[in-house]
Amino acid sequence: MRFAISDGNAGLRQPGIILRVDGKSVGKPGFFGLDKRDDFPPRLLRKLYGEVNADGLRDHITAGWDAPVENSELLMAVEAYVQPILQQAFEQQYRRDMQLAQARLQKAIQTRLAELPEHKRQFADRAIRKVLDKYYGEPDSKVEPIVFVLLEALERSDYRLLLEHIADSRPRDVAAIAEGLNDFGLAEMAYLVEQASARSMFLDQLEQLALNTATSEAIMHKALERNLWVFGPEFSLFSTNITLKRQIEEYLQKKYVGNKADQRPDLLLNQNLNGEYLLIEFKRPSHSLNHDDYIQAIAYRHDLGKHISATIRVLLIGGRRSPDFPQINREPDVNVAVFDQLIATARNQLQWLLRDKTGIAPT
């Protein structure tokens, strides 16, 4: 394998690596997968030239020697070998240029970066590097507006400017639309970082409530009623409304009157877009869920089922489980949660989501 990277400003007329098999060139020069990577600047590809000898591919070439056979496993192995070598060479030659470009840009926006919260500054640095990588070799007059749009989204936490940028693009201007959507994705990640920070603070406060022995069912109900994401992604699509609240209120008023009024449970009825219902019963964080709680929860479902024809899932939540709480042979669609585990799981999911989408974990 022999290759070189031009250090000239202009790209080569016919860049790429020629594949040779038994001394013959196969098809047109290519880039062994580098041209398919989103994180590799296309302008750099125009500076690459060379050749790779792979005689072992002789049985994997089309009859006219126009190209390798499609989906050849041996060709994939050659690509897997060649690509990291090329990428490392580019890194060594151009990474310093990238760093200098980022330093110049950060100097121009230093004041705005300093005003951002710490978690947003981390994201801004990461996002700016991505922009510089993508638009390597482009003039500052093109790169700076993109970075400024990104900072605008980070500062305002909305998408108005980005949506206008996309809307102003002509339908045939595919490049402009794609660029706008890419910027929108960066702002979406910025919003995700901010949302994760807020949710992390929410979990801190929720944990304090759960640790307080004086916290009642009603307090936990109020805290979680509009924050069902805490229970997991599958519960995020459920929400309550005036009609559902009225149904629960009418049911409880009929069932818990007179001497039973002080036994009134704390129930929340939700519904998702598929028409499924979720009935949540809150117990105090100091309460241990027992067999009687289970029997009571499914009894609520049976009573409500007389007026609701759709599936009703049950979620029972308290401070811990008693030994007599049924582990098996439960009715279908009955889930149980304890506050400590619930909060810990929500934190883990939040951290996983941030690492997966942005590579940043919440502080």
Side-chain angles (χ1 to χ4, degrees):
M1 175 178 176
R2 296 180 298 170
F3 70 93
I5 302 172
S6 171
D7 56 3
N9 292 328
L12 300 172
R13 183 171 297 178
Q14 193 173 15
I17 301 290
I18 297 173
L19 175 63
R20 292 190 182 278
V21 177
D22 292 336
K24 301 178 184 179
S25 62
V26 179
K28 297 180 180 179
F31 300 101
F32 289 85
L34 279 180
D35 52 330
K36 299 175 183 177
R37 293 178 62 110
D38 293 333
D39 59 348
F40 196 88
R43 290 178 68 91
L44 285 183
L45 294 176
R46 302 175 198 168
K47 299 175 179 288
L48 175 66
Y49 62 97
E51 61 182 29
V52 170
N53 293 301
D55 295 344
L57 287 175
R58 63 176 59 90
D59 295 329
H60 297 256
I61 305 300
T62 58
W65 286 74
D66 298 323
V69 174
E70 191 174 354
N71 297 326
S72 165
E73 293 185 1
L74 193 55
L75 177 63
M76 292 179 186
V78 174
E79 286 187 354
Y81 171 76
V82 171
Q83 189 178 128
I85 296 175
L86 296 176
Q87 190 167 9
Q88 184 179 9
F90 275 113
E91 284 282 337
Q92 292 175 351
Q93 187 159 339
Y94 287 100
R95 180 50 55 186
R96 178 167 173 77
D97 291 347
M98 298 281 196
Q99 291 171 345
L100 290 174
Q102 185 175 5
R104 288 196 304 270
L105 193 58
Q106 284 185 323
K107 186 176 181 180
I109 60 176
Q110 188 172 8
T111 302
R112 294 179 68 174
L113 282 174
E115 292 174 353
L116 291 174
E118 177 62 27
H119 69 278
K120 286 190 177 183
R121 283 202 299 273
Q122 292 178 13
F123 176 80
D125 287 339
R126 186 180 181 87
I128 289 171
R129 283 198 298 271
K130 286 186 176 181
V131 170
L132 291 174
D133 282 346
K134 180 178 179 180
Y135 295 100
Y136 175 82
E138 298 286 355
D140 291 346
S141 59
K142 179 175 181 178
V143 177
E144 286 186 5
I146 297 173
V147 173
F148 289 153
V149 169
L150 170 65
L151 288 174
E152 191 79 24
L154 283 165
E155 290 167 346
R156 295 192 179 191
S157 298
D158 63 30
Y159 309 133
R160 181 178 59 81
L161 292 177
L162 296 175
L163 290 172
E164 288 177 357
H165 176 68
I166 295 171
D168 289 342
S169 301
R170 297 187 303 276
R172 294 182 181 178
D173 192 355
V174 178
I177 294 174
E179 183 177 303
L181 292 174
N182 181 267
D183 293 339
F184 184 88
L186 292 174
E188 183 76 8
M189 285 193 290
Y191 172 74
L192 181 63
V193 171
E194 183 174 23
Q195 183 192 62
S197 178
R199 287 186 171 185
S200 182
M201 292 175 61
F202 172 87
L203 291 174
D204 290 341
Q205 297 297 319
L206 185 66
E207 190 169 34
Q208 291 301 314
L209 288 177
L211 292 173
N212 190 336
T213 56
T215 301
S216 66
E217 296 94 332
I219 290 176
M220 298 307 288
H221 180 151
K222 188 175 182 64
L224 289 167
E225 180 176 354
R226 300 185 185 278
N227 293 285
L228 296 187
W229 57 267
V230 175
F231 296 100
E234 68 272 24
F235 294 103
S236 297
L237 296 178
F238 283 92
S239 62
T240 190
N241 56 45
I242 295 175
T243 302
L244 298 177
K245 289 182 178 179
R246 178 181 54 77
Q247 285 180 289
I248 283 292
E249 187 62 28
E250 290 178 353
Y251 166 71
L252 294 176
Q253 283 181 353
K254 291 178 181 178
K255 191 172 182 66
Y256 293 91
V257 295
N259 295 332
K260 291 185 177 181
D262 59 346
Q263 301 174 15
R264 175 175 169 142
D266 206 301
L267 302 178
L268 174 64
L269 186 62
N270 300 272
Q271 188 179 25
N272 65 13
L273 297 177
N274 295 325
E276 298 174 325
Y277 286 80
L278 172 66
L279 178 66
I280 303 177
E281 182 178 8
F282 295 91
K283 295 293 186 180
R284 300 184 311 278
S286 59
H287 178 79
S288 297
L289 300 173
N290 54 45
H291 184 267
D292 290 341
D293 295 326
Y294 166 74
I295 296 298
Q296 190 178 46
I298 60 175
Y300 299 145
R301 175 165 68 178
H302 295 165
D303 287 343
L304 289 170
K306 298 173 184 177
H307 310 284
I308 298 174
S309 59
T311 300
I312 302 177
R313 300 170 62 179
V314 174
L315 177 60
L316 185 59
I317 180 169
R320 61 190 64 83
R321 293 189 196 186
S322 292
D324 66 337
F325 190 91
Q327 302 293 328
I328 57 174
N329 298 325
R330 293 204 300 248
E331 286 192 3
D333 296 318
V334 176
N335 295 297
V336 61
V338 296
F339 287 110
D340 286 349
Q341 293 177 351
L342 182 71
I343 295 169
T345 301
R347 287 192 195 280
N348 288 336
Q349 290 176 344
L350 202 59
Q351 291 169 356
W352 176 87
L353 180 63
L354 270 182
R355 281 194 295 266
D356 180 62
K357 298 295 183 184
T358 68
I360 301 173
T363 55

